[in-house]
Amino acid sequence: MSLQKARERLSRLVDAQSVAIVGASDNPLKIGGRPIAYMKRLGYRGALYPVNPRQAEIQGLRAYPSLSAIGKPVDMAIVATGADLVEQVVREGVAAGVGGFVILTSGFAELGEAGAERQRRLVEIARESGVAILGPNCLGLVNCESRLVASFTTAMEENEFVSGSFSFVSQSGALAAYWLDAALRSGIGVAKWITTGNECDIDVAAALDYLADDPQTRVIGMYVEDIKDSRAFRRAALAAARKRKPVLAIKAGRSAAGAAAAASHTGAIAGEDRVYQAFFDQFGLCRVGSLTEMLDVARLFLADAVPDGPRLGIVSVSGGAGVLLADEAEECGLEVPQFGAATREALAQSLPEFSKPANPVDVTGNIVQNAPMFRKTLDAIAAAPEIDGLVLFIGLMHSIADTLAAALEDLRRRAGGKPTTVVWIGGRPEVIDRLRARGIPVFGDIPEAVRALARAIRLRRFWQQPEPKAAESAEPPPPALRTETLIERRSKERLRTLGGIETPRSVFVPAATSSTENLAKAPLPAVAKLQSPKLLHKTDAGGVVLNLGSQAEVASAVENLFRLGRERNLPVEGVLVEEMASFEHELVLGLRRDRVFGPLLVVGRGGVEVELAPDVAMAFLPIDAAGIAARLRSLRSAPLLAGYRGRAGIDVDALARSIAALADSFLRHADIEEIEINPLVVARDGRVLALDALMTVRSA
Amino acid sequence: MSLQKARERLSRLVDAQSVAIVGASDNPLKIGGRPIAYMKRLGYRGALYPVNPRQAEIQGLRAYPSLSAIGKPVDMAIVATGADLVEQVVREGVAAGVGGFVILTSGFAELGEAGAERQRRLVEIARESGVAILGPNCLGLVNCESRLVASFTTAMEENEFVSGSFSFVSQSGALAAYWLDAALRSGIGVAKWITTGNECDIDVAAALDYLADDPQTRVIGMYVEDIKDSRAFRRAALAAARKRKPVLAIKAGRSAAGAAAAASHTGAIAGEDRVYQAFFDQFGLCRVGSLTEMLDVARLFLADAVPDGPRLGIVSVSGGAGVLLADEAEECGLEVPQFGAATREALAQSLPEFSKPANPVDVTGNIVQNAPMFRKTLDAIAAAPEIDGLVLFIGLMHSIADTLAAALEDLRRRAGGKPTTVVWIGGRPEVIDRLRARGIPVFGDIPEAVRALARAIRLRRFWQQPEPKAAESAEPPPPALRTETLIERRSKERLRTLGGIETPRSVFVPAATSSTENLAKAPLPAVAKLQSPKLLHKTDAGGVVLNLGSQAEVASAVENLFRLGRERNLPVEGVLVEEMASFEHELVLGLRRDRVFGPLLVVGRGGVEVELAPDVAMAFLPIDAAGIAARLRSLRSAPLLAGYRGRAGIDVDALARSIAALADSFLRHADIEEIEINPLVVARDGRVLALDALMTVRSA
């Protein structure tokens, strides 16, 4: 289904003007009672229709015996009945023209085979009827603007609505509840809140796409455990990026224990975390580690206080705190550049004699109480071409809150003003609230402020990059039923037909002949490798002989390898005799079809480092040579490739073009499941050579 | 001066029973007025004597014209006069028998040469008289127990005293004020608070030592920019470790900009941050990045809630949060082990059917409302032999606070109970305060809780290690006036006399003879290296010829090297012809006398990694072979040394013994300033060889 259509279907739910609650209860603490109680208290603007065949009135509202008995248009039916009644309720609702369903009931795929069967029937209804279904086993949704609370979340028990521009989509009801409570309680405000539960129809991708398009939403928070439709998710992420809406995502399951638990608790196996991270990086999702971190980053975006680049000017009332800020900034990949002569000159005129005009600027506690000098200092730094943004550190000093707020507002209003973030340690809550209310982001300590800035700046820089080659990837082939891994010789034969990467010069000595005829043509120095489908990883078993300098040595090695094959009783196709190419740089390259995310390239440093301290980059296909070159240059060992301490460098762009050609071929040849080249080397003569390669293909 | 004596001198100040304030003011907002106002309001238990020659009464107290006019014992004089009067006041006070001085006045070493001269005179007075001086340019000290506030910090403006077991020592007044405010405001409580300012006498080492001995202090916080007497500091750190008092330290100046700023603002050059980190690691200081992190770790120690080891059991009301906890735990180096059969069995009996008895345990929101089942579950996990501590995650659910607190207290009382930490997201402040008041550490989100646990557990494990070989290091030699770097051949000659590390077999061809006589004895294959004091780094200049397989090749190489010397007009001593030893493992080793911390060993992986992604460990001397072996095994590349993918491993303990022997020699030979061995290799025959070495010695 197209995202556009999913968006319209979900919109019918989120913007519902009329809501029925099936399984409605008089008890405001029950699942079927809470939504009614919340909406009554908070003033939902649409129509509410409790449905309960046993009561004529519920919580003061007229109740109906069934959805079909309402007799008026119903945009959304909230379903809070027992699990075994849900299918019947939905079928009846579809027949009655209900616009969509929010199924709060649990007891579906998360609970054994009987539940899974119930859920499959819901999936069918959604597919056949075209109505949207949120859930089952979800915590529902909230629309702050219309005061719609299609949810039984306890987060609405004590909170009032605070309208805002921050929206949230979650695969966990509990985390969503914590977010809702925090966003309302902190005053940051909420636009839309959507929990997807078991995702029998509407999934996080659809919800993300909806929020990317929603005019009230400026910042999107997300909690995700597993992505089922990565192509839809990719398109939705890029839609948000195109609108410059940050997507701040918590992804659970980084650790082994966590991944195992995630699998057990959502009924979906969490993808390998590093692949998720690469996916987030490539498609511009900002990963955060906690709700607190999410709110911190959101605060910066909501206040339009994200600097354009990583260069920070620091102004501090405490020298020590200024140093700690600079420390944390560099730790997070930000910069604290020195000021040029003009800035130093301007600062020298505003700062007291004992303050040096150096970044970080220590204005001392005194200057803050001298408002004109303080303003001049802030002006001088805000105008500095050396920096992209300003961080101001205050400690205690509660009395200066208003003076400070006024100065910062002035600063923002004037041209040339840079985004300013305030760290106010020991600031009283009412003081911090007052500044925040004026749109100034305030943090209570240094690390959280700087980490949030670093994350936000990184995302802004992602937006400034040219858009990835293609948002769309091809429809993935159905999972392979049977696959076969080709021996090195056949893998390399196939590899040569794909283009991009060369293989070393070689001769092949077939087992059948065992003649030494071919050996006269063997390139020297050579390596000889036994070719047996039962010995794919040859080196450890002695199936590789290196450094053969003469034809006699080659012949002897070939003979020994055949003997090894006989001794081990291996099916042997022959011996591959290859040139030993001279090279400086050893890489590994993998291409595979990830079960969740589709075609994936992995490239990195080879040699012992592969397992010792992996230095790899990943990219989802399609990707062009420039994208691959950027990834090669992002490796920790990139300085080696550039030429390092007397070692020759390589042409990284040429290497990237070779890899890109192979990756494109891989995309076009759906029968290839996986290619692993280890090592991939750049020979001294510039050839990009697969010294060893294994390819896995679909069997007929 | 001995630490014992410094401790007594400082004790006279901290425990002062009678306090004079010189420069006393009626204005409670002035530096000379604030201490009096604070102590009057808070009920200081000792005698207060304002000193001001122009007033007979100050803030309702009888004032005295001078210190000598008081005529009663004075333990402490707070000095708040102008900088030019300070020396005179102190001299008069010493003469009058004042016990010690807290000099709040600024305008000393931090402010140019005139100030530095004033400070030098204070240093002399302290040395000659034996009285303690805190400051100058400090924020003074606070003793919560006796309600002594020898400080003008604004942190006491709005706060009341909350006595506790947490003490703080700081080189920054501002940071100390923020700490004081936070520790009082959060209710965590304070024992002693000491700011050292310009440290003309009492420095952080002396204050740390005092707090290590202070019976009221159980946890010590510290802010440090530069350590002046590292030997005293080392002894104080080990004294705290011996008493099992955690020292939680913030060290500013990690970054380049930060280090530059720290230098400018304290008048002391910040040591290289990595050396500080190594020092902290070796002597058991726990480094934290912010005051917030410090309070978080302190909370765990103050509640006696630090697990004995890294294995956590996680119980969560939200599956997603349990996963996030497990993720963060593994990220921080903690473990979330699987439960054994007995624990699983016990859990199966307490958990509802849909909860799996796996770690992390998802008890769901329902069970928490079922107190007996919840207790049984906590009991089962607390008794599990697989874990060292328990983390409990709660979200919202304000109503269960008391039930929960009771269950946790029960748990703690019973035998076999494990330390429990609570993460309560969205918990209302009053709920969190109530739990904290009962001694249960509660955190507001996951990362801060887990990071604090990881830090605290690491420190506890440090305490469990055997004590470092020696707390004391030898009196450092005075800084060298002139040094000389020996050429390779002479460096290696000297190295051989030190023992521990061997050098390759070699012959030397002196420049004078240029004869080829020696060459007959050259070991093959060989490397030839030009020996010139003007060419210490030979490789890049072509002064090294490798892989010489025959005597003829050696002779030719020697000739070419002499020609190179002539062409470049270099003073040449000769050519060193050495065996090319065969090896797998390349290291670097350095021994030097750090200006701040004294003799220091640096050892790490050699080769291109040295600059690409340094993998080194440091140790301060003296250190034994076991300590060096532990450091070798802590290297990222340690698996290589252990033998890796077909490569032979080495005997790490034997290597460590070689290095330890050399390090001991280095300690005994004070004329050696620095030894750099790069590469240090373990040859295939097991010899530990310095392939290249440079030594810097003191000139006569």
Side-chain angles (χ1 to χ4, degrees):
Chain A
M1 187 181 314
S2 76
L3 274 173
Q4 180 60 36
K5 188 149 173 236
R7 197 182 280 172
E8 283 164 15
R9 293 162 66 245
L10 181 53
S11 171
R12 182 99 190 256
L13 287 179
V14 181
D15 298 328
Q17 300 298 310
S18 48
V19 174
I21 301 96
V22 189
S25 167
D26 255 332
N27 184 339
L29 295 177
K30 292 219 161 160
I31 293 183
R34 282 182 185 267
I36 302 171
Y38 291 150
M39 287 192 271
K40 281 188 68 183
R41 171 168 63 87
L42 296 164
Y44 169 59
R45 305 210 175 100
L48 277 183
Y49 308 117
V51 174
N52 186 327
R54 286 181 306 274
Q55 285 179 258
E57 192 183 288
I58 282 175
Q59 296 192 38
L61 298 171
R62 180 186 159 187
Y64 299 82
S66 68
L67 283 172
S68 47
I70 296 172
K72 276 168 270 189
V74 173
D75 287 330
M76 168 205 289
I78 300 172
V79 183
T81 64
D84 44 359
L85 292 177
V86 169
E87 182 187 350
Q88 183 192 326
V89 166
V90 174
R91 286 199 189 279
E92 187 192 321
V94 169
V98 167
F101 299 85
V102 171
I103 303 180
L104 306 178
T105 310
S106 58
F108 289 82
E110 83 282 7
L111 204 73
E113 185 44 41
E117 177 52 35
R118 278 197 284 268
Q119 186 163 326
R120 274 192 291 274
R121 288 201 296 274
L122 288 182
V123 171
E124 266 166 37
I125 300 174
R127 199 173 289 153
E128 285 163 11
S129 67
V131 298
I133 300 183
L134 190 66
N137 188 32
C138 77
L139 210 53
L141 62 82
V142 164
N143 181 339
C144 217
E145 177 70 16
S146 68
R147 302 178 165 258
L148 167 70
V149 188
S151 174
F152 60 100
T153 176
T154 54
M156 293 313 301
E157 251 176 24
E158 298 182 5
N159 285 305
E160 299 298 316
F161 267 133
V162 182
S163 283
S165 319
F166 195 10
S167 292
F168 195 74
V169 52
S170 180
Q171 286 182 329
S172 154
L175 269 295
Y178 310 150
W179 178 91
L180 186 57
D181 177 69
L184 293 175
R185 199 145 52 94
S186 70
I188 212 167
V190 173
K192 310 283 160 68
W193 179 88
I194 303 169
T195 69
T196 57
N198 288 8
E199 303 190 341
C200 82
D201 173 30
I202 301 291
D203 64 2
V204 281
L208 175 59
D209 180 73
Y210 172 84
L211 296 173
D213 189 57
D214 174 41
Q216 268 157 17
T217 297
R218 286 175 55 214
V219 177
I220 301 168
M222 168 178 284
Y223 171 86
V224 63
E225 287 177 354
D226 64 295
I227 292 169
K228 289 178 189 104
D229 182 350
S230 72
R231 294 166 66 241
F233 192 88
R234 187 193 278 219
R235 287 194 300 268
L238 289 174
R242 232 171 271 133
K243 295 252 176 127
R244 301 295 182 254
K245 294 188 185 180
V247 181
L248 315 175
I250 297 177
K251 162 71 180 73
R254 269 180 291 169
S255 61
S264 78
H265 124 266
T266 67
I269 295 159
E272 199 185 12
D273 191 72
R274 282 188 303 175
V275 180
Y276 266 93
Q277 186 61 54
F279 188 83
F280 286 5
D281 289 345
Q282 186 163 342
F283 298 102
L285 282 88
C286 170
R287 190 170 187 173
V288 292
S290 68
L291 288 175
T292 306
E293 285 175 11
M294 180 184 286
L295 262 58
D296 285 345
V297 181
R299 223 181 278 290
L300 292 171
F301 278 106
L302 291 169
D304 285 321
V306 181
D308 241 348
R311 303 170 308 157
L312 299 182
I314 295 174
V315 179
S316 176
V317 301
S318 145
V323 173
L324 291 174
L325 260 165
D327 287 352
E328 189 71 40
E330 288 198 15
E331 180 90 14
C332 293
L334 301 176
E335 299 161 22
V336 184
Q338 281 313 302
F339 294 131
T343 306
R344 283 203 307 272
E345 178 57 30
L347 278 173
Q349 290 182 11
S350 68
L351 286 173
E353 210 182 334
F354 51 85
S355 289
K356 287 193 190 156
N359 196 12
V361 183
D362 177 6
V363 293
T364 79
N366 298 323
I367 195 177
V368 179
Q369 286 154 32
N370 182 340
M373 280 182 97
F374 184 52
R375 280 182 190 222
K376 265 180 82 176
T377 300
L378 288 180
D379 280 357
I381 294 172
E386 297 88 1
I387 65 153
D388 304 306
L390 205 151
V391 181
L392 174 62
F393 179 92
I394 315 276
L396 305 177
M397 303 185 167
H398 320 295
S399 59
I400 65 156
D402 289 318
T403 313
L404 186 76
L408 291 174
E409 278 179 322
D410 269 14
L411 194 68
R412 195 146 67 157
R413 240 179 267 117
R414 279 195 301 281
K418 301 265 172 35
T420 301
T421 297
V422 176
V423 179
W424 199 319
I425 202 165
R428 297 291 179 264
E430 64 275 15
V431 166
I432 289 176
D433 287 348
R434 220 179 313 155
L435 260 75
R436 284 180 175 168
R438 295 186 184 205
I440 297 162
V442 188
F443 294 86
D445 206 344
I446 291 168
E448 44 263 48
V450 176
R451 288 173 198 162
L453 272 169
R455 286 194 161 99
I457 290 168
R458 185 157 179 254
L459 186 53
R460 239 189 115 147
R461 289 171 82 80
F462 174 86
W463 291 339
Q464 291 157 2
Q465 290 165 14
E467 189 146 331
K469 185 179 173 183
E472 303 283 331
S473 64
E475 182 74 40
L481 291 178
R482 283 178 52 216
T483 64
E484 178 194 0
T485 300
L486 306 179
I487 61 169
E488 178 186 6
R489 174 173 163 253
R490 293 185 190 279
S491 293
K492 284 180 168 172
E493 271 175 16
R494 183 75 198 271
L495 190 65
R496 283 192 290 271
T497 69
L498 296 176
I501 309 279
E502 295 183 66
T503 57
R505 286 186 294 274
S506 66
V507 298
F508 181 62
V509 186
T513 68
S514 181
S515 88
T516 54
E517 192 181 315
N518 267 348
L519 295 184
K521 289 176 275 172
L524 291 179
V527 53
K529 298 186 268 189
L530 189 64
Q531 301 293 302
S532 163
K534 296 284 181 208
L535 198 72
L536 293 176
H537 300 281
K538 303 172 286 286
T539 308
D540 296 343
V544 176
V545 190
L546 298 164
N547 292 314
L548 304 171
S550 67
Q551 286 189 13
E553 282 177 32
V554 171
S556 156
V558 168
E559 197 175 312
N560 288 337
L561 287 173
F562 278 125
R563 186 180 316 122
L564 176 74
R566 283 192 301 274
E567 284 168 8
R568 299 228 176 168
N569 220 2
L570 295 170
V572 168
E573 292 198 10
V575 170
L576 185 63
V577 179
E578 283 187 336
E579 67 169 316
M580 281 199 66
S582 175
F583 63 87
E584 290 275 20
H585 299 285
E586 190 177 351
L587 296 98
V588 291
L589 187 153
L591 283 159
R592 65 182 176 86
R593 303 189 190 278
D594 185 82
R595 201 179 48 73
V596 175
F597 294 106
L600 170 63
L601 165 73
V602 179
V603 64
R605 187 179 181 191
V608 293
E609 305 301 318
V610 171
E611 287 164 55
L612 194 61
D615 180 21
V616 297
M618 298 187 194
F620 298 90
L621 307 187
I623 189 165
D624 59 15
I628 293 171
R631 277 164 181 78
L632 289 169
R633 292 197 172 95
S634 77
L635 293 175
R636 206 170 61 231
S637 55
L640 283 183
L641 299 180
Y644 191 71
R645 293 180 73 195
R647 281 198 192 185
I650 58 170
D651 184 341
V652 169
D653 294 312
L655 172 61
R657 283 193 297 274
S658 292
I659 295 173
L662 177 64
D664 272 352
S665 253
F666 175 71
L667 267 191
R668 285 195 310 273
H669 292 82
D671 69 311
I672 304 177
E673 279 290 304
E674 186 166 0
I675 301 173
E676 189 184 303
I677 302 177
N678 182 11
L680 174 77
V681 305
V682 181
R684 285 201 218 274
D685 58 14
R687 283 178 299 162
V688 179
L689 290 177
L691 293 197
D692 201 350
L694 284 181
M695 198 177 289
T696 302
V697 297
R698 290 170 176 243
S699 307
Chain B
M1 184 179 318
S2 76
L3 274 173
Q4 180 59 38
K5 186 147 177 235
R7 200 183 277 174
E8 283 163 17
R9 295 162 66 245
L10 181 52
S11 172
R12 181 100 191 255
L13 286 179
V14 181
D15 299 327
Q17 299 296 311
S18 49
V19 174
I21 300 94
V22 188
S25 168
D26 255 333
N27 184 340
L29 295 178
K30 289 219 163 160
I31 292 183
R34 282 183 183 264
I36 303 171
Y38 292 150
M39 286 192 272
K40 283 189 64 182
R41 171 167 64 85
L42 296 164
Y44 168 58
R45 306 211 173 100
L48 277 184
Y49 308 117
V51 174
N52 187 327
R54 290 181 303 275
Q55 285 179 259
E57 191 185 289
I58 283 175
Q59 297 192 38
L61 298 170
R62 180 186 161 189
Y64 299 81
S66 68
L67 281 173
S68 46
I70 295 173
K72 276 165 274 190
V74 172
D75 289 327
M76 170 204 289
I78 300 172
V79 183
T81 64
D84 44 359
L85 293 177
V86 169
E87 182 187 350
Q88 182 192 324
V89 166
V90 174
R91 285 197 189 281
E92 187 191 321
V94 168
V98 167
F101 299 85
V102 172
I103 304 180
L104 306 177
T105 310
S106 59
F108 289 83
E110 82 282 6
L111 205 72
E113 187 43 42
E117 178 51 34
R118 276 196 287 268
Q119 187 162 324
R120 274 192 291 273
R121 288 202 295 275
L122 287 182
V123 172
E124 269 165 37
I125 299 173
R127 200 173 288 155
E128 287 162 10
S129 67
V131 301
I133 300 184
L134 190 67
N137 187 31
C138 76
L139 209 52
L141 63 83
V142 164
N143 180 340
C144 218
E145 178 68 18
S146 68
R147 303 180 165 257
L148 167 71
V149 187
S151 174
F152 60 100
T153 176
T154 55
M156 292 313 302
E157 251 177 24
E158 298 182 7
N159 285 305
E160 298 299 317
F161 266 134
V162 182
S163 282
S165 319
F166 195 10
S167 291
F168 194 74
V169 51
S170 179
Q171 287 182 330
S172 155
L175 270 294
Y178 310 151
W179 178 90
L180 186 57
D181 177 70
L184 293 175
R185 198 144 53 93
S186 69
I188 212 167
V190 173
K192 311 284 160 65
W193 179 88
I194 303 168
T195 70
T196 57
N198 289 8
E199 302 190 341
C200 85
D201 174 29
I202 302 290
D203 64 1
V204 281
L208 175 59
D209 181 72
Y210 171 84
L211 295 173
D213 190 55
D214 175 39
Q216 267 156 19
T217 298
R218 288 176 53 215
V219 177
I220 302 167
M222 166 178 283
Y223 172 85
V224 62
E225 286 175 355
D226 64 295
I227 292 169
K228 289 177 190 106
D229 182 351
S230 71
R231 293 168 63 243
F233 192 87
R234 188 193 280 219
R235 285 193 301 269
L238 288 175
R242 233 172 272 134
K243 296 252 177 131
R244 303 293 183 255
K245 295 188 184 179
V247 181
L248 315 175
I250 298 177
K251 162 71 180 72
R254 269 179 293 169
S255 62
S264 76
H265 124 266
T266 66
I269 295 160
E272 198 185 14
D273 190 72
R274 282 188 304 174
V275 181
Y276 266 93
Q277 185 61 54
F279 188 82
F280 286 6
D281 289 344
Q282 186 163 343
F283 298 103
L285 284 87
C286 171
R287 188 169 189 175
V288 291
S290 68
L291 288 176
T292 306
E293 285 176 9
M294 180 183 287
L295 263 58
D296 285 344
V297 181
R299 221 181 278 290
L300 292 172
F301 278 106
L302 291 169
D304 284 321
V306 181
D308 241 347
R311 303 169 308 158
L312 299 182
I314 296 173
V315 179
S316 175
V317 303
S318 144
V323 173
L324 291 173
L325 260 164
D327 288 353
E328 191 71 39
E330 289 198 16
E331 181 91 13
C332 292
L334 301 176
E335 299 161 22
V336 185
Q338 281 313 301
F339 293 131
T343 306
R344 283 203 307 273
E345 176 59 28
L347 279 172
Q349 290 181 10
S350 69
L351 288 172
E353 210 182 336
F354 51 85
S355 288
K356 287 192 191 158
N359 197 8
V361 182
D362 177 5
V363 294
T364 79
N366 298 322
I367 196 178
V368 179
Q369 287 154 32
N370 182 341
M373 280 181 97
F374 184 52
R375 281 183 187 220
K376 267 179 83 175
T377 300
L378 288 180
D379 280 356
I381 295 172
E386 297 88 2
I387 65 154
D388 304 306
L390 205 152
V391 182
L392 175 61
F393 179 92
I394 315 276
L396 306 176
M397 303 183 168
H398 320 296
S399 58
I400 66 156
D402 289 317
T403 313
L404 187 74
L408 291 174
E409 278 178 321
D410 269 12
L411 194 66
R412 195 148 64 161
R413 242 178 267 119
R414 278 195 299 282
K418 302 267 171 36
T420 301
T421 298
V422 175
V423 180
W424 198 321
I425 200 166
R428 297 292 179 263
E430 65 276 14
V431 167
I432 289 176
D433 287 348
R434 222 180 311 157
L435 261 74
R436 285 180 174 167
R438 297 187 182 206
I440 298 161
V442 188
F443 295 86
D445 206 344
I446 291 168
E448 44 264 48
V450 176
R451 287 173 199 162
L453 272 170
R455 286 192 161 102
I457 291 170
R458 186 157 177 253
L459 186 52
R460 240 191 113 146
R461 288 170 82 78
F462 173 87
W463 291 339
Q464 291 157 3
Q465 291 165 13
E467 190 146 327
K469 186 178 170 183
E472 302 285 331
S473 64
E475 183 74 38
L481 292 177
R482 283 178 52 216
T483 63
E484 178 195 359
T485 299
L486 307 179
I487 60 169
E488 177 186 4
R489 174 175 160 251
R490 294 186 188 280
S491 293
K492 284 180 168 172
E493 272 175 14
R494 183 76 199 270
L495 191 64
R496 283 192 291 271
T497 70
L498 296 176
I501 309 277
E502 296 182 64
T503 57
R505 287 186 293 273
S506 67
V507 298
F508 182 61
V509 187
T513 68
S514 184
S515 87
T516 53
E517 192 181 316
N518 268 350
L519 294 184
K521 289 178 275 171
L524 293 179
V527 53
K529 300 186 269 190
L530 190 64
Q531 301 293 305
S532 164
K534 295 284 181 211
L535 198 71
L536 293 176
H537 300 281
K538 302 171 287 286
T539 308
D540 295 345
V544 176
V545 190
L546 297 164
N547 291 316
L548 305 171
S550 66
Q551 287 189 15
E553 282 177 32
V554 171
S556 155
V558 168
E559 196 174 313
N560 287 336
L561 287 172
F562 279 126
R563 186 182 314 123
L564 177 75
R566 286 193 299 273
E567 284 169 8
R568 298 230 178 163
N569 221 2
L570 295 171
V572 168
E573 293 198 8
V575 171
L576 185 63
V577 180
E578 282 186 336
E579 67 167 314
M580 280 200 67
S582 176
F583 63 87
E584 289 275 20
H585 300 284
E586 191 176 351
L587 296 99
V588 292
L589 186 152
L591 283 159
R592 65 182 176 85
R593 304 191 189 277
D594 186 82
R595 201 181 46 74
V596 175
F597 293 106
L600 171 64
L601 165 72
V602 180
V603 63
R605 185 179 182 190
V608 294
E609 305 301 321
V610 172
E611 286 163 59
L612 193 61
D615 180 20
V616 298
M618 297 185 194
F620 298 91
L621 305 187
I623 189 165
D624 58 14
I628 293 172
R631 277 164 180 78
L632 289 169
R633 292 199 172 94
S634 77
L635 293 175
R636 206 168 61 230
S637 55
L640 282 182
L641 299 180
Y644 191 70
R645 291 179 76 194
R647 282 197 191 185
I650 59 169
D651 184 341
V652 170
D653 294 311
L655 172 60
R657 283 192 297 274
S658 293
I659 296 173
L662 178 63
D664 272 352
S665 255
F666 175 71
L667 267 189
R668 286 195 309 273
H669 292 83
D671 70 308
I672 305 176
E673 280 289 305
E674 187 167 358
I675 301 173
E676 189 185 303
I677 303 178
N678 183 8
L680 173 77
V681 306
V682 180
R684 284 199 219 274
D685 58 14
R687 284 178 298 162
V688 179
L689 290 176
L691 293 196
D692 202 350
L694 285 180
M695 198 177 290
T696 303
V697 297
R698 288 167 179 249
S699 307

